[in-house]
Structures are given as structure tokens and as C-alpha cells.
Amino acid sequence: MKKIATFLFFVFLLSIKGFSQPQEITVVSPEFLENGSVTFNILAPKAAEMKLQGSWMPDWNERIEMLKNSEGVWSVTVENLTPDYYTYSYFSNGVRLIDPHNALVIRDGRNHFSGFLLSGDESAYYEVNESNSGTLQEIWYPSASLNLERRMVVYTPPGYESSGEDYPVLYLLHGGGGDEKAWSDLGLANRILDNLIARGEAKPMLVVMTNGNPNQTSAWFNTPGYSEEADPGFLNTMGNEQFERSLVEDVIPFVERNFRVKPEREFRAVTGLSMGGWQTQRLAYHYPEVFNYYGVMSMGVIRTGAFGHEAEELIEHTKAKMNQLNELGFGLYWIACGTDDFLYDSVLHMVELLEEHDFDFIYRESSGGHTWDRWRLYLSEFAPMIFQ
Amino acid sequence: MKKIATFLFFVFLLSIKGFSQPQEITVVSPEFLENGSVTFNILAPKAAEMKLQGSWMPDWNERIEMLKNSEGVWSVTVENLTPDYYTYSYFSNGVRLIDPHNALVIRDGRNHFSGFLLSGDESAYYEVNESNSGTLQEIWYPSASLNLERRMVVYTPPGYESSGEDYPVLYLLHGGGGDEKAWSDLGLANRILDNLIARGEAKPMLVVMTNGNPNQTSAWFNTPGYSEEADPGFLNTMGNEQFERSLVEDVIPFVERNFRVKPEREFRAVTGLSMGGWQTQRLAYHYPEVFNYYGVMSMGVIRTGAFGHEAEELIEHTKAKMNQLNELGFGLYWIACGTDDFLYDSVLHMVELLEEHDFDFIYRESSGGHTWDRWRLYLSEFAPMIFQ
């Protein structure tokens, strides 16, 4: 009897499926070949042209031509990709498309891209570790200093729910144009921590991913009818220090009240990329008593030679502020940047300033630019160095 | 000094912005006009045609022509939309596009659509309630019965973290093709509960959203190199009763061990749509001692007249099973369906069977079809009726 009902049910459901996805040819995209080769496909018989752009291309304006076969499937193969987490788009007649054959779509700010994980040694930390996965929470908290209710994403390590232990906390800051989902969606912070912790390479810790734009309650898409005119984004607020204040006055007390964490300086770390690296520097200047570990990714001190004596004042200001942190002592001040990063010179300038001041930091220079492949790598290197 | 640094920083960041989004014309889409009118726009000067398809259209194959202005922006205005949460796509030369001007993209199974919330009385429960927002957790648990580590989404109500109270639990099941994220992404279950609880219309409760496909650990996109060939989806597993068993044997004990919930039958409810409505019926048959409240959305008993005596056996089987639940007693058995639903006849058939058996249920018939606007509505009606 059961089999009859099940069979009938399948007939019904097959009809739904056929109705919602009228498609004659089955196209798989991307296709993973050997030696890091990946083929991208899209069924578009009537399109006049199709091009590919991917996050592995150094020039963001590069487009690779795709070729159409007799069934109307456009394809191109890219060779020798390093195992990593990539995003890509198609372009047809100047319009950007996601890959309709790929279920993985990744948001970067206001834009969406198709994505894939190319498995291998270099991307081992980015795999889902099903048997050692922590919990990701989207949680709202009152920000008294900003007079807003705001959303953050909190990672708790595997076993948090039942261990009864207290944990250290890493505060993880995104860049300009990002929001509280950037480090989990693009940065795979939860997967990286899962794998590091499972291997015993990082201590179990909470990771708190806030929204670094102090005029936002949460990622834009929660706002019906959002437009850039209504919310000009991070450019209006990045330098106003409101975020840093809200992190210290609102976020940390909320986390320490609502999660089982160790509420002392030696168990707090902060790191961020680009705008978040700028905010990390300012937290080191203005709240040296709060954090013990600092990671500055892809951000330095802007070289202000063109502004004459103001540049000297800025440098003196920086020195004086870092001196406070030096006197207080700290666990780690780590700076990381890629040699192709458009902010590379600003990082070299910061390194020079800190060396002049005999400040105790570690500078980690990598290849690459101002991109998420670098920031995932940096997080996988920074997390093992803290709370040890 | 601060102002100089800030200014320089803006210059840098503006240059990033210009680099990543080379676009001369600012296009806002969708645009909300008066009286439920919405204009959809897309900049595509070189496209030969552009069409719109939206979730408000009864015929899923309908396409509305868009018109191009002199700047290359294609537009069309749709009038008199009821306030709701909608998805839409563009089509250009047969290829489906998301709206590149809209930051909200919603996944439905393997497909992605642009989305918007049209605000108004009918969609009041779907708004983000910033000052009364519960927490959404993506949490992994061991499923011994399936021999898998699996992911579920758990909603805890506002105040859960600090209240010290124990809560009732609603187990909320998705339909065929969906996964553990469907009810939050498409169904807005967390927002609906936030608003119901804030108004005092529903009791504070946990909502547990599982993955109803017993061959999956989690939504497909966590699997690198996923293809339909590697994972044929729900059609192979829907009738095999493994999901229902894993819910009772694995999920409920995990939830009751790791969250502050009331672990008695009178504080457990289950509801689901389509495939999840089928699973809800089976839970009522096979585990009547576990749940006190049942909601069956858009799913009935398949009319099996063509199969002769087997149909009679199925009916007797159903009656016998429902009789067990009747004898045990229960809080609510609620059935909801739209008159345009392709499973409407199956629901009428179930209603007839249950009436013949003098079974105590409530049948709620609505307008509409087999679509998310109905299931959001049904959840907003079901949640206030349970745990009262």
C-alpha cells in the first residue's frame, strides 16, 4: 500500500519539477577536470555572445570569450587554477549573469556572483567539515551608542552548546562595502575555524562578525525598497569612529553577557581587512586596554607627503598612540598584505613607521592583491597565533 | 588631523568603488510607486529583448515585455500588487537573469531570483522587526538513524538568551526541492514569529527547520562539485519514511538536550507544506505520541481510484492510523490549501476521508495556488493557534 502511495506521489512531484524547470538539455556547470582545469557552461542558444569573468583574473575588467556548440551551450575551460573558493560571472551583450546551472551564488555587497570551491591542499581549510562544524548565529543586539538595533553573526565552536566551558573571542571586521555576513559568506570564517580547531591548530574560540557600517542595522537587503540614495553606505561613516566605539561599548558587553566567554583582555582579539584593518588600527590607538591581539589585513597608513606638515603630524600622532599600546603590552600585532594590493604602499609606510618606533609587530607579506583569497589565507594564519 | 586622514581614505575608497562598478547611469530597481505599482528596470543597451516574470503571475511561463528607453534602460510597470514578499526574473534571449540593480536575491532550491518586500497591511508580519528579532542558528547535529552529520536552522525567540525560561517547539517542514534554509529565506518564518510574538498573538516558541531530504547533510551548495547526477534530490527518498524517523529519533532529542525547551508532547507542534505536509501526515500516523499540534499545508491524500481495491486499502489504512491519534487526543489538526493548488483535489479527498471518520480537524481553504505567499500566510495563521 505504501508503495502505491509513494509511486503516485512521485508522479505528482515529477510533474511539478517539469513545470518549474522546462529544460531539455542537462547542463552541468562548473565541471571539474584534472589538474585544476574547470569548464564553465551555459545554455543560451539565442544569445549573440557570451563571456566569462572570474575572481582568479588579476584584471577585473578581463572577459574571456566562450564558444557555442550545436546545442546552444556556450563553454570555456580555464586551466591550472589553484584550489580555492572562487566567484565568477557570465556577460552577454554587456549584461552580467549568474550561472543558471550552478546552485551556489555568493553575495559580495550589493552584487551576486556564482561560486565554487576547487578542492585541494590549498583549500583544505575551506571545506565543510561536517563532523566538526560550529554554529553560526544571526543575532540582534541593542547598540546604545548608535541608537540602533543591529544584527551580528556569531560563530560558536563545535561543542559549545554542551561543553559548559568559557571561550576566548575573536572580533572579525569586514571591509568597505561589506556587512555582517561578508566573513561567513565570502570569507568562510566558520569553515576555517572548524578545520583549524579540528586539527588542534587553533584554540576553540567564538568569532563575532559585526556590521562595520555604523549607519546600518544590518545587511541592506533586509530593508525593503533599499536604494543607494537612501543609504550611501560606508563612505559617509568610515572615518567617524562610531563603529569602534559601538564595538567596545555595545558589542563586547552584549557578547560577554549572552555567551559563555572569558571576559578578560587576554582573551580578546580583533582583526579586519581594508576598512576593518583601518578600524583595527584605531581600536589599537583608542582602546588599547580592550584587546590583546591585533591583525591588520590589507591596510596601512596612507602616505600623506602631498599634504606637507600635516603628514608629519599624522605620523607623530600614530607613534604616540602606538606607544600607549606598547607600554600596556600585548600578545600580537600582525600585519599582512599582498604585493599587488593597491594599498601595498600604505602598508609599507605603516611598517616603516612602526619600525622607526621600535614597535613589536610581525609583517607577513604575500603575493596577491586586495581580494578575498588573501583574507581567507590571512585568517587561517592569524587564528592559530592567538590565545595560545 | 583626523579629517585629513579620513578625506584621503575616502579618495582611496571611491577609487575602489569606481573600479569595481563601472557604471555611468544610476538605475534603481524595483521602484515602488503608489497603489501597489512597481516598476522594474535594467540597464542593457545592447540586449535585443528583455522580459519580466514574477511570482505574482499565476502562469509561471508568462513573460511580460519590457521597453527600452534612449539610455538603454528596459522598464515595465506592474500595477495593483498586493503587499507581499515577491520574487522575479528577467529573461533576455531565453536566458534568465537576476536584477543586477537589486541587492536582494533569494534562493529557491537550485534557482536564484531577485526579490522585494512590498510593504502594506497584508505583509506587515513579513517586515524585519528590528527591536523584536529572535536569533537564527545554523547548527549541525549527528543523525544516528541516517548515519549523517546534518545541518538545521533553529529560531529562538527574542529574549531567549537571557530569559532562563523553557519554550515550546514548532517543527517546520519544507517542500520537495527545498532544504533547511527554505523556511527562513523564502518563508520568512523568523520574521513572522518575531511579529506575532511582539503583538502577543503567538506564544514565544522555538522553530526548528530541518532538512527534509534524508540523503542530504545540508543544502546542496555546501557540496563542492555538486551535480544533479551525484544527488538526485528528494524524489528518491520522499516516501521512504527515513526523514520522519530521524526527526523523532535524532532531531527532537538533540533539540531537547541543547536548547531550553519543554520536552513534553503538549509543547511540540509540527507543520509542513507539500512534501512537508505529507511528512506531517505520516508523523501523525506513525508517531502520534510525539506531537500535539499538526498543520498540513497544500497536501492531501492522493485519489487512487484508478488502482481499484488498493485505493480502498489506502483509505482504511488512513482511517486506522488517524484513529490512533484520535484515541490519544491532540491539540489541533489543521489543514490549509488554496483552491488553485494543483493538489487541491487531494486535500478535498483527505478532508472527505477525515469527515467520514468523524475526526476533529479544521479545514482552512484560501484562494491561491501551490506557492510561498500561501505558506507564509498559513504559518502566520497556524502559529497563533498552538501552545495556547
Side-chain angles (χ1 to χ4, degrees), chain A residues 186-217:
Chain A
L186 285 155
L188 304 178
N190 51 322
R191 299 192 197 176
I192 291 171
L193 267 294
D194 287 343
N195 287 300
L196 288 172
I197 293 168
R199 296 176 186 212
E201 295 173 13
K203 284 279 196 300
M205 65 182 84
L206 269 73
V207 182
V208 173
M209 294 162 268
T210 56
N211 183 311
N213 312 301
N215 59 341
Q216 286 184 346
T217 59

PDB file of all heavy atoms in Angstrom, chain A residues 186-217:
ATOM      1  N   LEU A 186      31.687  35.091   2.221  1.00  0.00           N
ATOM      2  CA  LEU A 186      32.837  35.220   1.326  1.00  0.00           C
ATOM      3  C   LEU A 186      34.117  34.731   1.973  1.00  0.00           C
ATOM      4  O   LEU A 186      34.993  34.193   1.315  1.00  0.00           O
ATOM      5  CB  LEU A 186      33.030  36.687   0.940  1.00  0.00           C
ATOM      6  CG  LEU A 186      32.057  37.261  -0.074  1.00  0.00           C
ATOM      7  CD1 LEU A 186      31.945  38.773   0.085  1.00  0.00           C
ATOM      8  CD2 LEU A 186      32.534  36.934  -1.489  1.00  0.00           C
ATOM      9  N   GLY A 187      34.215  34.951   3.280  1.00  0.00           N
ATOM     10  CA  GLY A 187      35.451  34.646   3.982  1.00  0.00           C
ATOM     11  C   GLY A 187      35.502  33.243   4.542  1.00  0.00           C
ATOM     12  O   GLY A 187      36.568  32.779   4.955  1.00  0.00           O
ATOM     13  N   LEU A 188      34.368  32.539   4.563  1.00  0.00           N
ATOM     14  CA  LEU A 188      34.298  31.156   5.074  1.00  0.00           C
ATOM     15  C   LEU A 188      34.910  31.050   6.473  1.00  0.00           C
ATOM     16  O   LEU A 188      35.520  30.031   6.825  1.00  0.00           O
ATOM     17  CB  LEU A 188      34.992  30.186   4.116  1.00  0.00           C
ATOM     18  CG  LEU A 188      34.491  30.198   2.667  1.00  0.00           C
ATOM     19  CD1 LEU A 188      35.307  29.216   1.837  1.00  0.00           C
ATOM     20  CD2 LEU A 188      33.002  29.861   2.596  1.00  0.00           C
ATOM     21  N   ALA A 189      34.747  32.107   7.273  1.00  0.00           N
ATOM     22  CA  ALA A 189      35.388  32.145   8.587  1.00  0.00           C
ATOM     23  C   ALA A 189      34.993  30.944   9.433  1.00  0.00           C
ATOM     24  O   ALA A 189      35.824  30.368  10.144  1.00  0.00           O
ATOM     25  CB  ALA A 189      35.026  33.445   9.304  1.00  0.00           C
ATOM     26  N   ASN A 190      33.727  30.540   9.378  1.00  0.00           N
ATOM     27  CA  ASN A 190      33.284  29.407  10.193  1.00  0.00           C
ATOM     28  C   ASN A 190      33.947  28.109   9.743  1.00  0.00           C
ATOM     29  O   ASN A 190      34.386  27.307  10.556  1.00  0.00           O
ATOM     30  CB  ASN A 190      31.754  29.290  10.166  1.00  0.00           C
ATOM     31  CG  ASN A 190      31.172  29.305   8.762  1.00  0.00           C
ATOM     32  OD1 ASN A 190      31.642  30.036   7.886  1.00  0.00           O
ATOM     33  ND2 ASN A 190      30.150  28.500   8.527  1.00  0.00           N
ATOM     34  N   ARG A 191      34.060  27.907   8.420  1.00  0.00           N
ATOM     35  CA  ARG A 191      34.699  26.671   7.954  1.00  0.00           C
ATOM     36  C   ARG A 191      36.188  26.662   8.330  1.00  0.00           C
ATOM     37  O   ARG A 191      36.731  25.613   8.701  1.00  0.00           O
ATOM     38  CB  ARG A 191      34.560  26.550   6.435  1.00  0.00           C
ATOM     39  CG  ARG A 191      33.127  26.485   5.954  1.00  0.00           C
ATOM     40  CD  ARG A 191      33.116  26.067   4.496  1.00  0.00           C
ATOM     41  NE  ARG A 191      31.859  26.364   3.844  1.00  0.00           N
ATOM     42  CZ  ARG A 191      31.637  26.157   2.555  1.00  0.00           C
ATOM     43  NH1 ARG A 191      32.605  25.672   1.795  1.00  0.00           N
ATOM     44  NH2 ARG A 191      30.476  26.448   2.010  1.00  0.00           N
ATOM     45  N   ILE A 192      36.839  27.814   8.188  1.00  0.00           N
ATOM     46  CA  ILE A 192      38.269  27.894   8.514  1.00  0.00           C
ATOM     47  C   ILE A 192      38.481  27.562   9.990  1.00  0.00           C
ATOM     48  O   ILE A 192      39.356  26.762  10.337  1.00  0.00           O
ATOM     49  CB  ILE A 192      38.811  29.295   8.159  1.00  0.00           C
ATOM     50  CG1 ILE A 192      38.826  29.480   6.637  1.00  0.00           C
ATOM     51  CG2 ILE A 192      40.211  29.504   8.747  1.00  0.00           C
ATOM     52  CD1 ILE A 192      39.127  30.907   6.180  1.00  0.00           C
ATOM     53  N   LEU A 193      37.655  28.137  10.862  1.00  0.00           N
ATOM     54  CA  LEU A 193      37.795  27.843  12.293  1.00  0.00           C
ATOM     55  C   LEU A 193      37.465  26.385  12.583  1.00  0.00           C
ATOM     56  O   LEU A 193      38.150  25.739  13.382  1.00  0.00           O
ATOM     57  CB  LEU A 193      36.913  28.790  13.107  1.00  0.00           C
ATOM     58  CG  LEU A 193      37.568  30.075  13.625  1.00  0.00           C
ATOM     59  CD1 LEU A 193      38.651  29.752  14.673  1.00  0.00           C
ATOM     60  CD2 LEU A 193      38.194  30.914  12.512  1.00  0.00           C
ATOM     61  N   ASP A 194      36.418  25.858  11.951  1.00  0.00           N
ATOM     62  CA  ASP A 194      36.080  24.437  12.149  1.00  0.00           C
ATOM     63  C   ASP A 194      37.299  23.549  11.883  1.00  0.00           C
ATOM     64  O   ASP A 194      37.619  22.655  12.671  1.00  0.00           O
ATOM     65  CB  ASP A 194      34.960  24.003  11.194  1.00  0.00           C
ATOM     66  CG  ASP A 194      33.589  24.548  11.561  1.00  0.00           C
ATOM     67  OD1 ASP A 194      33.416  24.993  12.712  1.00  0.00           O
ATOM     68  OD2 ASP A 194      32.707  24.538  10.682  1.00  0.00           O
ATOM     69  N   ASN A 195      37.960  23.803  10.746  1.00  0.00           N
ATOM     70  CA  ASN A 195      39.070  22.935  10.348  1.00  0.00           C
ATOM     71  C   ASN A 195      40.308  23.159  11.206  1.00  0.00           C
ATOM     72  O   ASN A 195      41.003  22.204  11.566  1.00  0.00           O
ATOM     73  CB  ASN A 195      39.376  23.123   8.862  1.00  0.00           C
ATOM     74  CG  ASN A 195      38.314  22.481   7.981  1.00  0.00           C
ATOM     75  OD1 ASN A 195      38.106  21.275   8.051  1.00  0.00           O
ATOM     76  ND2 ASN A 195      37.624  23.271   7.181  1.00  0.00           N
ATOM     77  N   LEU A 196      40.593  24.420  11.537  1.00  0.00           N
ATOM     78  CA  LEU A 196      41.750  24.701  12.403  1.00  0.00           C
ATOM     79  C   LEU A 196      41.559  24.059  13.775  1.00  0.00           C
ATOM     80  O   LEU A 196      42.492  23.473  14.332  1.00  0.00           O
ATOM     81  CB  LEU A 196      41.938  26.215  12.565  1.00  0.00           C
ATOM     82  CG  LEU A 196      42.457  26.999  11.358  1.00  0.00           C
ATOM     83  CD1 LEU A 196      42.389  28.499  11.632  1.00  0.00           C
ATOM     84  CD2 LEU A 196      43.904  26.602  11.027  1.00  0.00           C
ATOM     85  N   ILE A 197      40.356  24.200  14.312  1.00  0.00           N
ATOM     86  CA  ILE A 197      40.090  23.651  15.648  1.00  0.00           C
ATOM     87  C   ILE A 197      40.144  22.120  15.608  1.00  0.00           C
ATOM     88  O   ILE A 197      40.712  21.487  16.490  1.00  0.00           O
ATOM     89  CB  ILE A 197      38.735  24.159  16.171  1.00  0.00           C
ATOM     90  CG1 ILE A 197      38.801  25.673  16.434  1.00  0.00           C
ATOM     91  CG2 ILE A 197      38.330  23.412  17.452  1.00  0.00           C
ATOM     92  CD1 ILE A 197      37.448  26.328  16.682  1.00  0.00           C
ATOM     93  N   ALA A 198      39.584  21.530  14.555  1.00  0.00           N
ATOM     94  CA  ALA A 198      39.575  20.063  14.456  1.00  0.00           C
ATOM     95  C   ALA A 198      40.993  19.499  14.413  1.00  0.00           C
ATOM     96  O   ALA A 198      41.261  18.421  14.937  1.00  0.00           O
ATOM     97  CB  ALA A 198      38.802  19.626  13.212  1.00  0.00           C
ATOM     98  N   ARG A 199      41.916  20.230  13.780  1.00  0.00           N
ATOM     99  CA  ARG A 199      43.304  19.773  13.692  1.00  0.00           C
ATOM    100  C   ARG A 199      44.131  20.161  14.917  1.00  0.00           C
ATOM    101  O   ARG A 199      45.338  19.895  14.960  1.00  0.00           O
ATOM    102  CB  ARG A 199      43.973  20.388  12.456  1.00  0.00           C
ATOM    103  CG  ARG A 199      43.355  19.956  11.144  1.00  0.00           C
ATOM    104  CD  ARG A 199      44.020  20.687   9.992  1.00  0.00           C
ATOM    105  NE  ARG A 199      43.359  20.408   8.733  1.00  0.00           N
ATOM    106  CZ  ARG A 199      43.989  20.373   7.561  1.00  0.00           C
ATOM    107  NH1 ARG A 199      45.287  20.595   7.503  1.00  0.00           N
ATOM    108  NH2 ARG A 199      43.325  20.132   6.453  1.00  0.00           N
ATOM    109  N   GLY A 200      43.515  20.869  15.842  1.00  0.00           N
ATOM    110  CA  GLY A 200      44.266  21.312  17.020  1.00  0.00           C
ATOM    111  C   GLY A 200      45.191  22.479  16.732  1.00  0.00           C
ATOM    112  O   GLY A 200      46.069  22.797  17.534  1.00  0.00           O
ATOM    113  N   GLU A 201      44.995  23.159  15.595  1.00  0.00           N
ATOM    114  CA  GLU A 201      45.908  24.251  15.225  1.00  0.00           C
ATOM    115  C   GLU A 201      45.455  25.590  15.783  1.00  0.00           C
ATOM    116  O   GLU A 201      46.248  26.528  15.889  1.00  0.00           O
ATOM    117  CB  GLU A 201      46.039  24.317  13.707  1.00  0.00           C
ATOM    118  CG  GLU A 201      46.708  23.074  13.141  1.00  0.00           C
ATOM    119  CD  GLU A 201      46.699  23.017  11.620  1.00  0.00           C
ATOM    120  OE1 GLU A 201      46.391  24.043  10.980  1.00  0.00           O
ATOM    121  OE2 GLU A 201      46.986  21.933  11.084  1.00  0.00           O
ATOM    122  N   ALA A 202      44.183  25.720  16.099  1.00  0.00           N
ATOM    123  CA  ALA A 202      43.687  26.941  16.751  1.00  0.00           C
ATOM    124  C   ALA A 202      42.901  26.521  17.984  1.00  0.00           C
ATOM    125  O   ALA A 202      42.310  25.433  18.016  1.00  0.00           O
ATOM    126  CB  ALA A 202      42.809  27.755  15.809  1.00  0.00           C
ATOM    127  N   LYS A 203      42.909  27.396  18.986  1.00  0.00           N
ATOM    128  CA  LYS A 203      42.116  27.139  20.171  1.00  0.00           C
ATOM    129  C   LYS A 203      40.630  27.303  19.835  1.00  0.00           C
ATOM    130  O   LYS A 203      40.266  28.170  19.023  1.00  0.00           O
ATOM    131  CB  LYS A 203      42.475  28.149  21.260  1.00  0.00           C
ATOM    132  CG  LYS A 203      43.812  27.872  21.958  1.00  0.00           C
ATOM    133  CD  LYS A 203      43.631  26.796  23.016  1.00  0.00           C
ATOM    134  CE  LYS A 203      44.785  26.724  23.997  1.00  0.00           C
ATOM    135  NZ  LYS A 203      46.088  26.445  23.401  1.00  0.00           N
ATOM    136  N   PRO A 204      39.753  26.506  20.434  1.00  0.00           N
ATOM    137  CA  PRO A 204      38.324  26.783  20.262  1.00  0.00           C
ATOM    138  C   PRO A 204      38.019  28.208  20.712  1.00  0.00           C
ATOM    139  O   PRO A 204      38.479  28.620  21.785  1.00  0.00           O
ATOM    140  CB  PRO A 204      37.661  25.747  21.175  1.00  0.00           C
ATOM    141  CG  PRO A 204      38.664  24.653  21.308  1.00  0.00           C
ATOM    142  CD  PRO A 204      40.000  25.337  21.289  1.00  0.00           C
ATOM    143  N   MET A 205      37.317  28.954  19.880  1.00  0.00           N
ATOM    144  CA  MET A 205      37.025  30.354  20.187  1.00  0.00           C
ATOM    145  C   MET A 205      35.700  30.753  19.560  1.00  0.00           C
ATOM    146  O   MET A 205      35.233  30.121  18.614  1.00  0.00           O
ATOM    147  CB  MET A 205      38.139  31.257  19.650  1.00  0.00           C
ATOM    148  CG  MET A 205      38.262  31.271  18.131  1.00  0.00           C
ATOM    149  SD  MET A 205      39.636  32.320  17.510  1.00  0.00           S
ATOM    150  CE  MET A 205      41.032  31.185  17.653  1.00  0.00           C
ATOM    151  N   LEU A 206      35.085  31.812  20.103  1.00  0.00           N
ATOM    152  CA  LEU A 206      33.968  32.432  19.407  1.00  0.00           C
ATOM    153  C   LEU A 206      34.517  33.416  18.393  1.00  0.00           C
ATOM    154  O   LEU A 206      35.593  34.012  18.601  1.00  0.00           O
ATOM    155  CB  LEU A 206      33.048  33.180  20.382  1.00  0.00           C
ATOM    156  CG  LEU A 206      31.884  32.362  20.961  1.00  0.00           C
ATOM    157  CD1 LEU A 206      32.412  31.362  21.971  1.00  0.00           C
ATOM    158  CD2 LEU A 206      30.836  33.264  21.586  1.00  0.00           C
ATOM    159  N   VAL A 207      33.789  33.601  17.290  1.00  0.00           N
ATOM    160  CA  VAL A 207      34.131  34.632  16.320  1.00  0.00           C
ATOM    161  C   VAL A 207      32.904  35.521  16.152  1.00  0.00           C
ATOM    162  O   VAL A 207      31.821  35.034  15.810  1.00  0.00           O
ATOM    163  CB  VAL A 207      34.551  34.031  14.963  1.00  0.00           C
ATOM    164  CG1 VAL A 207      34.936  35.141  13.988  1.00  0.00           C
ATOM    165  CG2 VAL A 207      35.703  33.049  15.134  1.00  0.00           C
ATOM    166  N   VAL A 208      33.083  36.793  16.429  1.00  0.00           N
ATOM    167  CA  VAL A 208      31.977  37.746  16.358  1.00  0.00           C
ATOM    168  C   VAL A 208      32.168  38.622  15.126  1.00  0.00           C
ATOM    169  O   VAL A 208      33.179  39.321  15.005  1.00  0.00           O
ATOM    170  CB  VAL A 208      31.911  38.605  17.636  1.00  0.00           C
ATOM    171  CG1 VAL A 208      30.868  39.709  17.490  1.00  0.00           C
ATOM    172  CG2 VAL A 208      31.605  37.713  18.837  1.00  0.00           C
ATOM    173  N   MET A 209      31.207  38.539  14.204  1.00  0.00           N
ATOM    174  CA  MET A 209      31.274  39.284  12.950  1.00  0.00           C
ATOM    175  C   MET A 209      30.197  40.349  12.956  1.00  0.00           C
ATOM    176  O   MET A 209      29.008  40.058  12.834  1.00  0.00           O
ATOM    177  CB  MET A 209      31.101  38.311  11.780  1.00  0.00           C
ATOM    178  CG  MET A 209      32.273  37.330  11.672  1.00  0.00           C
ATOM    179  SD  MET A 209      31.950  35.835  10.684  1.00  0.00           S
ATOM    180  CE  MET A 209      31.397  34.701  11.962  1.00  0.00           C
ATOM    181  N   THR A 210      30.619  41.582  13.166  1.00  0.00           N
ATOM    182  CA  THR A 210      29.673  42.689  13.296  1.00  0.00           C
ATOM    183  C   THR A 210      29.453  43.343  11.939  1.00  0.00           C
ATOM    184  O   THR A 210      30.143  43.064  10.975  1.00  0.00           O
ATOM    185  CB  THR A 210      30.240  43.731  14.259  1.00  0.00           C
ATOM    186  OG1 THR A 210      31.524  44.119  13.765  1.00  0.00           O
ATOM    187  CG2 THR A 210      30.380  43.163  15.642  1.00  0.00           C
ATOM    188  N   ASN A 211      28.515  44.275  11.897  1.00  0.00           N
ATOM    189  CA  ASN A 211      28.356  45.162  10.744  1.00  0.00           C
ATOM    190  C   ASN A 211      29.168  46.420  11.034  1.00  0.00           C
ATOM    191  O   ASN A 211      28.898  47.132  11.989  1.00  0.00           O
ATOM    192  CB  ASN A 211      26.880  45.486  10.539  1.00  0.00           C
ATOM    193  CG  ASN A 211      26.643  46.337   9.306  1.00  0.00           C
ATOM    194  OD1 ASN A 211      27.312  47.361   9.100  1.00  0.00           O
ATOM    195  ND2 ASN A 211      25.712  45.929   8.470  1.00  0.00           N
ATOM    196  N   GLY A 212      30.191  46.677  10.199  1.00  0.00           N
ATOM    197  CA  GLY A 212      31.117  47.780  10.452  1.00  0.00           C
ATOM    198  C   GLY A 212      30.650  49.129   9.953  1.00  0.00           C
ATOM    199  O   GLY A 212      31.401  50.109  10.052  1.00  0.00           O
ATOM    200  N   ASN A 213      29.440  49.191   9.424  1.00  0.00           N
ATOM    201  CA  ASN A 213      28.889  50.457   8.917  1.00  0.00           C
ATOM    202  C   ASN A 213      27.932  51.012   9.963  1.00  0.00           C
ATOM    203  O   ASN A 213      26.814  50.518  10.093  1.00  0.00           O
ATOM    204  CB  ASN A 213      28.144  50.225   7.605  1.00  0.00           C
ATOM    205  CG  ASN A 213      28.957  49.404   6.622  1.00  0.00           C
ATOM    206  OD1 ASN A 213      30.053  49.791   6.237  1.00  0.00           O
ATOM    207  ND2 ASN A 213      28.432  48.248   6.246  1.00  0.00           N
ATOM    208  N   PRO A 214      28.334  52.040  10.702  1.00  0.00           N
ATOM    209  CA  PRO A 214      27.541  52.432  11.873  1.00  0.00           C
ATOM    210  C   PRO A 214      26.185  53.063  11.555  1.00  0.00           C
ATOM    211  O   PRO A 214      25.413  53.316  12.470  1.00  0.00           O
ATOM    212  CB  PRO A 214      28.466  53.425  12.598  1.00  0.00           C
ATOM    213  CG  PRO A 214      29.417  53.897  11.568  1.00  0.00           C
ATOM    214  CD  PRO A 214      29.593  52.785  10.591  1.00  0.00           C
ATOM    215  N   ASN A 215      25.886  53.287  10.268  1.00  0.00           N
ATOM    216  CA  ASN A 215      24.555  53.797   9.910  1.00  0.00           C
ATOM    217  C   ASN A 215      23.590  52.682   9.500  1.00  0.00           C
ATOM    218  O   ASN A 215      22.447  52.954   9.124  1.00  0.00           O
ATOM    219  CB  ASN A 215      24.662  54.826   8.775  1.00  0.00           C
ATOM    220  CG  ASN A 215      25.314  54.231   7.533  1.00  0.00           C
ATOM    221  OD1 ASN A 215      25.987  53.193   7.619  1.00  0.00           O
ATOM    222  ND2 ASN A 215      25.122  54.870   6.402  1.00  0.00           N
ATOM    223  N   GLN A 216      24.042  51.427   9.576  1.00  0.00           N
ATOM    224  CA  GLN A 216      23.187  50.305   9.158  1.00  0.00           C
ATOM    225  C   GLN A 216      22.761  49.464  10.352  1.00  0.00           C
ATOM    226  O   GLN A 216      23.573  49.200  11.233  1.00  0.00           O
ATOM    227  CB  GLN A 216      23.943  49.372   8.212  1.00  0.00           C
ATOM    228  CG  GLN A 216      24.140  49.898   6.825  1.00  0.00           C
ATOM    229  CD  GLN A 216      24.806  48.859   5.929  1.00  0.00           C
ATOM    230  OE1 GLN A 216      25.343  47.864   6.404  1.00  0.00           O
ATOM    231  NE2 GLN A 216      24.747  49.101   4.638  1.00  0.00           N
ATOM    232  N   THR A 217      21.531  48.980  10.305  1.00  0.00           N
ATOM    233  CA  THR A 217      21.118  47.996  11.287  1.00  0.00           C
ATOM    234  C   THR A 217      21.646  46.613  10.913  1.00  0.00           C
ATOM    235  O   THR A 217      22.010  45.827  11.774  1.00  0.00           O
ATOM    236  CB  THR A 217      19.587  47.915  11.381  1.00  0.00           C
ATOM    237  OG1 THR A 217      19.067  47.558  10.105  1.00  0.00           O
ATOM    238  CG2 THR A 217      19.003  49.252  11.814  1.00  0.00           C
TER     239      THR A 217
END
